[in-house]
Amino acid sequence: ARHISLTPENLSQADYSAIMEWRKERYANAGDFIFVFSGDIADEQMKTLIATYLGTLPTNESYENYNEIVDGFLPGHIRNAFTRELEIPQSISVNVYSAILDYNPFDMIKADMLAQILNSIYTEEIRMNNGSVYSIHSEAIVMEYPLGLLQLQVNYFCEPGKAESINQIIHEEFKKIPQEGVEEERLAQIKEFMLSKQHAKEQTNQYWVETIAEYYTTGYNAFTNYTEIVKGISVDDIKEMADRILKAGNRIEVILN
């Protein structure tokens, strides 16, 4: 299945009455809803508010499950280069590597750490040494449904006409990791950064709402043992993760000139 992009043209085809019917149907049974609250909450006051506003929602004995719609990436190397006139002359590129990945804390943290390592390498090798890249960012995204799928994305803006050569550097530097690994000093710096970022996130209500909701919907615990897992990941673990992604052979390369 492929998603349809929202445009002014197809928005006019939307049926407002049907949308309201779907909304009514979705909220007709709150029996399997999960409500998560985080913050400086007074227990007794919260119980009263929950009883007043949530306890009156309609429920029945039926519980729903999702339909598996496989909306993954096309296999192999997919390349799309096109031209658009931009107000500020520049090239924009997105590289997406994808692979099947188990939805578990160890693999997910390894994937995130690999993305941070690539971010560090690309900043040095491309932005600082090359000078033609305005900004570059790597990120690992893992989805559980309908199957464990990892997307490792590398996005950047650069001088016009430089994207082809930069994408080659991106791929070559990635391929070095399964062969040569990464420096222990770089790995230690990335671990320190990730633990510092995690500590900052734990001070926010948003983190706890997302973490608790994730646990109750998927069973994935993003909090317990996070520090121990980060500290225990080795260079060999990073090499294995990079090798697994590259051996999958899936890469989408998009260039806007």
Side-chain angles (χ1 to χ4, degrees):
R2 309 302 297 175
H3 294 292
I4 298 175
S5 298
L6 184 63
T7 65
E9 290 74 26
N10 59 36
L11 181 60
S12 64
Q13 301 174 21
D15 186 334
Y16 179 77
S17 298
I19 291 172
M20 296 309 293
E21 282 299 316
W22 291 333
R23 180 187 181 280
K24 183 179 178 181
E25 175 192 335
R26 292 296 80 210
Y27 287 92
N29 174 28
D32 54 2
F33 283 16
I34 297 173
F35 298 93
V36 180
F37 304 94
S38 175
D40 185 9
I41 298 171
D43 290 349
E44 293 305 317
Q45 181 184 18
M46 199 64 190
K47 288 179 182 178
T48 301
L49 293 171
I50 289 173
T52 301
Y53 295 103
L54 301 184
T56 56
L57 293 176
T59 62
N60 57 49
E61 297 301 319
S62 64
Y63 293 91
E64 295 184 329
N65 202 352
Y66 64 92
N67 294 321
E68 290 195 1
I69 302 175
V70 179
D71 188 19
F73 279 73
L74 294 173
H77 184 189
I78 310 298
R79 184 179 181 279
N80 184 7
F82 59 98
T83 301
R84 292 286 187 278
E85 185 174 346
L86 301 176
E87 184 176 345
I88 300 176
Q90 61 183 323
S91 292
I92 304 170
S93 183
V94 179
N95 289 264
V96 183
Y97 296 85
S98 64
I100 301 300
L101 186 76
D102 290 336
Y103 201 77
N104 65 67
F106 185 57
D107 276 352
M108 293 176 72
I109 292 172
K110 275 199 301 182
D112 184 28
M113 191 174 293
L114 172 60
Q116 299 296 338
I117 289 169
L118 288 171
N119 219 32
S120 172
I121 293 171
Y122 293 151
T123 298
E124 290 179 10
E125 296 298 325
I126 300 175
R127 187 179 181 193
M128 296 176 67
N129 296 339
N130 188 297
S132 59
V133 172
Y134 307 142
S135 64
I136 189 164
H137 175 70
S138 305
E139 180 181 15
I141 302 171
V142 182
M143 297 170 285
E144 182 187 23
Y145 299 114
L147 46 82
L149 179 67
L150 165 67
Q151 298 175 23
L152 197 152
Q153 301 183 7
V154 185
N155 314 317
Y156 65 87
F157 299 82
C158 69
E159 292 179 12
K162 297 291 184 70
E164 297 281 359
S165 59
I166 292 171
N167 278 356
Q168 185 174 353
I169 296 173
I170 285 173
H171 195 57
E172 291 302 317
E173 290 294 332
F174 197 172
K175 289 196 298 183
K176 287 180 183 178
I177 294 180
Q179 302 163 4
E180 305 173 10
V182 296
E183 308 96 315
E184 290 286 356
E185 182 181 358
R186 189 188 300 275
L187 181 62
Q189 290 173 346
I190 296 301
K191 288 182 178 183
E192 182 180 358
F193 169 75
M194 290 177 66
L195 291 174
S196 175
K197 186 172 69 171
Q198 175 72 7
H199 177 71
K201 289 195 298 185
E202 289 174 8
Q203 312 310 307
T204 68
N205 287 329
Q206 180 181 357
Y207 169 81
W208 289 108
V209 168
E210 292 175 352
T211 300
I212 293 170
E214 176 82 10
Y215 177 74
Y216 277 102
T217 53
T218 69
Y220 173 69
N221 187 336
F223 171 71
T224 305
N225 299 326
Y226 180 87
T227 298
E228 290 76 8
I229 293 173
V230 168
K231 290 182 176 179
I233 290 176
S234 66
V235 171
D236 284 341
D237 291 326
I238 297 301
K239 290 172 65 177
E240 184 278 329
M241 177 59 67
D243 187 57
R244 196 190 320 179
I245 296 169
L246 290 170
K247 280 183 176 176
N250 304 322
R251 178 188 177 196
I252 296 176
E253 181 183 1
V254 180
I255 298 174
L256 165 61
N257 286 309

